[in-house]
Amino acid sequence: MRLKRIISGLVLLGSLLGWTRSPLHAQQDAKKSLERVRLTVPAKSLTFIPYYFGKAQGLFAKEGIDLEIIVMRPPLGVTALVAGDLDYSAAGGLSIRAAMKGAPLRTITFIQTRLSFSLIGQPGMTSAGIRNVSVSGIGSLAHYAAITVMKRLGNEKVTYVSTNTTGNSYTALLSKATDAAILTPPFTSMASLAGYPELGNTFDVRDLQGGLVTRLSHIQDHREQVKAMIRGTLRSMDSLVRNESVVVSYLQKDFALEPKIAADTIKILKQVVNTDGDIEEPVLKSIVDKIRQETGFAAEIPVDRLVDLSILREVRAELRKR
């Protein structure tokens, strides 16, 4: 009894002196210990699901990151990143174009290096019968993907119609405003399960569709935070491809997808998510040369002015040792 009274007295004294913390205080302290990090994405789309899923699953929090995802049009997002108003951007292709023009940006991880576009046609439509194709924008990756698929199908005499968003391209297909549309998940699954035929896809086409980009000065001044962001991204991508049932439930809840559409969508995502975050040097150089030609740069640009994968590779080596 005497021992119990002593322990009770110590607990009471500890409470008065702040030695012990309630569960609520512990949660508040944990939250305070997280570092707020601001990431911009062009849209809340499944191209950027590693960030949304990783945040929802607490994978960034485990790295000490309180991730704030801000949807912003890519040109504005890149401008804000350069100005220091944001910490990271997921707009890989546009950021590389900005870096070519002298912006002090580096892509440090690639979350997709295979394009996730599919060409979906009207019911009964053959490739030879296609006269027009809806794309989210002329000159966009969607446009490039559509041209690639139509060339494979042997029909290059088509008109491409800009709809501004993939969602609008899907609507144009449903309303029969165009013969076909180039779509990405979940719209691909939505159309396919509704009876619209897939005529081709670009899952084998190497290009840059989403990444992790930051300022050169941020890499230099916040190296540990950069490593934590890369670890969170890698762990999220790994979890995406390993835990199909968890992802399907997440897609139903956070992206409001029907069960069949969510299940079909994850099958596509598993084919294009770049789980190691890296890219082969010749492939990267080829993509950079393509972007350079599209942008109108005559001179070759050293890849290390645009991309820095050294920290990614350092993080991967550390993770392998654990």
Side-chain angles (χ1 to χ4, degrees):
M1 290 295 294
R2 184 181 179 187
L3 179 60
K4 287 184 179 179
R5 285 198 298 270
I6 292 172
I7 293 173
S8 297
L10 287 173
V11 170
L12 176 61
L13 180 61
S15 297
L16 293 173
L17 296 178
W19 295 349
T20 62
R21 306 289 285 167
S22 69
L24 176 60
H25 285 146
Q27 291 175 11
Q28 290 173 340
D29 288 346
K31 190 170 183 180
K32 286 179 182 177
S33 70
L34 297 180
E35 183 178 11
R36 174 61 64 89
V37 170
R38 298 157 299 173
L39 166 77
T40 178
V41 298
K44 185 179 180 180
S45 78
L46 294 182
T47 296
F48 310 108
I49 191 173
Y51 302 118
Y52 285 101
F53 180 72
K55 178 178 179 178
Q57 296 297 307
L59 299 176
F60 287 99
K62 287 180 181 177
E63 298 298 335
I65 298 294
D66 177 14
L67 185 62
E68 180 182 4
I69 304 174
I70 303 168
V71 177
M72 192 178 293
R73 290 179 56 198
L76 295 177
V78 170
T79 300
L81 178 62
V82 172
D85 297 326
L86 298 168
D87 303 306
Y88 302 89
S89 171
L94 187 65
S95 298
I96 282 183
R97 285 172 170 80
M100 284 182 174
K101 296 178 181 179
L105 301 178
R106 297 293 185 273
T107 300
I108 56 177
T109 303
F110 295 105
I111 60 174
Q112 269 190 226
T113 59
R114 297 179 189 275
L115 298 184
S116 58
F117 296 99
S118 297
L119 183 73
I120 309 296
Q122 294 292 343
M125 178 66 65
T126 63
S127 57
I130 297 175
R131 296 162 299 173
N132 47 61
V133 177
S134 292
V135 298
S136 58
I138 302 301
S140 66
L141 273 180
H143 185 203
Y144 167 67
I147 292 172
T148 300
V149 175
M150 291 308 302
K151 186 174 181 179
R152 288 177 173 179
L153 294 174
N155 179 4
E156 298 183 62
K157 295 181 179 180
V158 295
T159 300
Y160 295 99
V161 181
S162 177
T163 63
N164 294 321
T165 68
T166 303
N168 288 343
S169 295
Y170 174 68
T171 300
L173 180 72
L174 296 188
S175 64
K176 299 186 178 353
T178 52
D179 297 329
I182 199 83
L183 303 178
T184 53
F187 298 105
T188 308
S189 300
M190 292 163 65
S192 296
L193 292 172
Y196 292 81
E198 180 182 311
L199 303 175
N201 63 60
T202 57
F203 303 162
D204 63 331
V205 177
R206 306 303 300 275
D207 212 312
L208 310 180
Q209 192 176 354
L212 186 63
V213 183
T214 191
R215 295 179 305 281
L216 183 58
S217 60
H218 199 78
I219 295 173
Q220 296 165 345
D221 298 339
H222 302 276
R223 187 178 180 85
E224 290 307 311
Q225 181 202 95
V226 171
K227 291 176 70 173
M229 275 295 292
I230 292 174
R231 281 195 301 271
T233 303
L234 291 177
R235 285 177 166 150
S236 179
M237 291 192 292
D238 182 68
S239 184
L240 277 166
V241 301
R242 289 178 181 270
N243 301 293
E244 187 169 318
S245 61
V246 175
V247 180
V248 168
S249 297
Y250 168 75
L251 291 175
Q252 291 177 66
K253 180 181 177 182
D254 203 60
F255 281 80
L257 299 185
E258 295 177 6
K260 287 184 178 179
I261 292 172
D264 191 67
T265 292
I266 186 57
K267 287 180 171 58
I268 296 174
L269 293 177
K270 287 171 71 173
Q271 296 181 66
V272 296
V273 170
N274 185 37
T275 53
D276 67 4
D278 212 328
I279 189 171
E280 307 91 323
E281 201 72 29
V283 174
L284 177 59
K285 188 177 185 309
S286 174
I287 294 171
V288 167
D289 285 342
K290 179 177 74 72
I291 295 174
R292 178 176 59 81
Q293 291 165 11
E294 291 171 353
T295 312
F297 284 93
E300 287 197 21
I301 299 174
V303 172
D304 60 9
R305 272 183 46 192
L306 315 172
V307 175
D308 182 357
L309 297 176
S310 62
I311 302 180
L312 166 71
R313 292 163 182 168
E314 179 182 330
V315 167
R316 287 172 54 204
E318 291 171 354
L319 290 174
R320 284 194 294 269
K321 293 178 181 178
R322 295 183 181 181

